[in-house]
Amino acid sequence: MIALSIAGFDPSGGAGILADIKTFNALDVYPTAVVTALTAQNVQRVGGIKPVDPDFVAQQIDLILEAEEINYAKTGMLYSPEIVKLVARKVKEYQLKLVVDPVMVAGSGGNLSQEDLVDSFKKHLLPRAVLTTPNLYEAQQLSKMDINSENDAYKVAKKLGEICPTVITGGHLNGRDIFYKDSLKIIEGEIFDSNNTHGSGCTYSAAATAFMEKGNPTEESVRKASYFTKKAIEHGRYGTLNQFWRFETH
Ligand code: PXL
């Protein structure tokens, strides 16, 4: 089992490609990764971003897929409309089943995208995705609707769900995630009083990708990813994803 992450590099280890690799690894899926941008950041702030030249992102994808047969990929920080468009082309070319985490800002609030990214996500990438995993903020940006209640979130999930299966993540809605694929499903969860949430969106989308690669249907993958991410938040940095997961029954 193998999966691909196409995402940015967060040197703090909490988010981006390193979070994806840790998650794939914890779930016994062999990780491969294509870098879209380097960032200088820690959990408090983003200091700088160096996007990778789109041609070089394309070359990284081509070389991985020349050597490996990969079914599932996920995207994280793509930064620019040019990179979004190129990734959409490659997804089509290699018939990748794609999970899109529509990353726009870092957990610390620092921006991780150019301004016109929302529209290109919607136009080029979501229509090709098997799942998208926006948090509350990203869901509002993508739908151009405000979410002030759980009912608003249902409407937004349904609207985005017309483009591709959608789960609104982040536990902001009383700990619940809102999933829409053909119909609406509420995924119950707990809320933790934790500051260990940097990169939790990356972990969630990587876990959903890994569970699908392991043969689970979309809804089941989302439910397991939700549980996995909550456990990762609960156990914190030194709980290590691998250890707690191996000792749980699931
Ligand atoms: O969690 C979103 C995210 C994605 N990708 C990179 C990040 C972050 C958040 O900090 O740094 C590279």
Side-chain angles (χ1 to χ4, degrees):
M1 252 153 330
I2 182 166
L4 169 66
S5 161
I6 304 171
F9 188 77
D10 165 16
S12 80
I17 272 183
L18 289 175
D20 292 346
I21 288 178
K22 286 188 290 183
T23 303
F24 288 165
N25 197 55
L27 296 172
D28 292 323
V29 170
Y30 186 85
T32 61
V34 161
V35 185
T36 56
L38 301 177
T39 69
Q41 66 173 310
N42 55 35
V43 289
Q44 276 98 32
R45 69 187 186 96
V46 178
I49 296 176
K50 288 248 186 267
V52 172
D53 180 349
D55 288 345
F56 196 67
V57 176
Q59 196 183 3
Q60 292 178 70
I61 296 172
D62 287 339
L63 270 280
I64 295 284
L65 285 147
E66 188 182 295
E68 305 286 349
E69 204 167 300
I70 294 181
N71 287 321
Y72 279 92
K74 68 147 281 189
T75 56
M77 173 186 180
L78 296 179
Y79 184 69
S80 69
E82 289 71 32
I83 297 180
V84 169
K85 275 184 234 161
L86 152 234
V87 170
R89 263 207 332 272
K90 293 293 171 190
V91 165
K92 186 170 177 212
E93 181 181 337
Y94 294 108
Q95 300 278 298
L96 292 168
K97 297 194 181 88
L98 186 71
V99 174
V100 177
D101 183 12
V103 172
M104 296 169 198
V105 296
S108 59
N111 204 8
L112 294 175
S113 61
Q114 285 184 338
E115 263 172 26
D116 35 2
L117 202 68
V118 172
D119 290 337
S120 38
F121 268 135
K122 247 169 92 174
K123 187 164 166 205
H124 301 289
L125 218 49
L126 294 194
R128 298 200 195 290
V130 296
L131 178 69
T132 187
T133 62
N135 60 25
L136 211 57
Y137 170 78
E138 292 156 353
Q140 294 181 88
Q141 295 291 312
L142 287 167
S143 64
K144 303 197 183 342
M145 287 160 67
D146 285 338
I147 302 179
N148 295 311
S149 66
E150 224 174 292
N151 211 31
D152 290 347
Y154 301 160
K155 286 186 202 146
V156 167
K158 187 163 190 288
K159 181 169 174 188
L160 296 176
E162 282 160 14
I163 313 176
C164 70
T166 298
V167 59
I168 302 180
T169 69
H172 305 285
L173 301 157
N174 303 318
R176 295 182 180 124
D177 296 333
I178 314 295
F179 176 61
Y180 193 94
K181 180 176 189 258
D182 307 319
S183 65
L184 193 75
K185 306 271 169 51
I186 313 299
I187 299 172
E188 295 290 344
E190 310 156 63
I191 296 206
F192 298 106
D193 185 13
S194 168
N195 53 14
N196 182 38
T197 55
H198 177 79
S200 51
C202 308
T203 299
Y204 194 118
S205 53
T209 309
F211 284 120
M212 283 196 235
E213 165 64 17
K214 288 156 82 86
N216 295 275
T218 314
E219 183 181 336
E220 193 61 24
S221 298
V222 166
R223 287 184 187 279
K224 288 183 170 173
S226 179
Y227 177 76
F228 179 88
T229 306
K230 275 159 194 152
K231 287 290 169 186
I233 293 170
E234 186 185 5
H235 286 249
R237 185 191 282 191
Y238 300 108
T240 78
L241 287 172
N242 305 37
Q243 283 166 21
F244 86 75
W245 186 254
R246 299 218 191 286
F247 297 121
E248 297 257 337
T249 44
H250 44 276

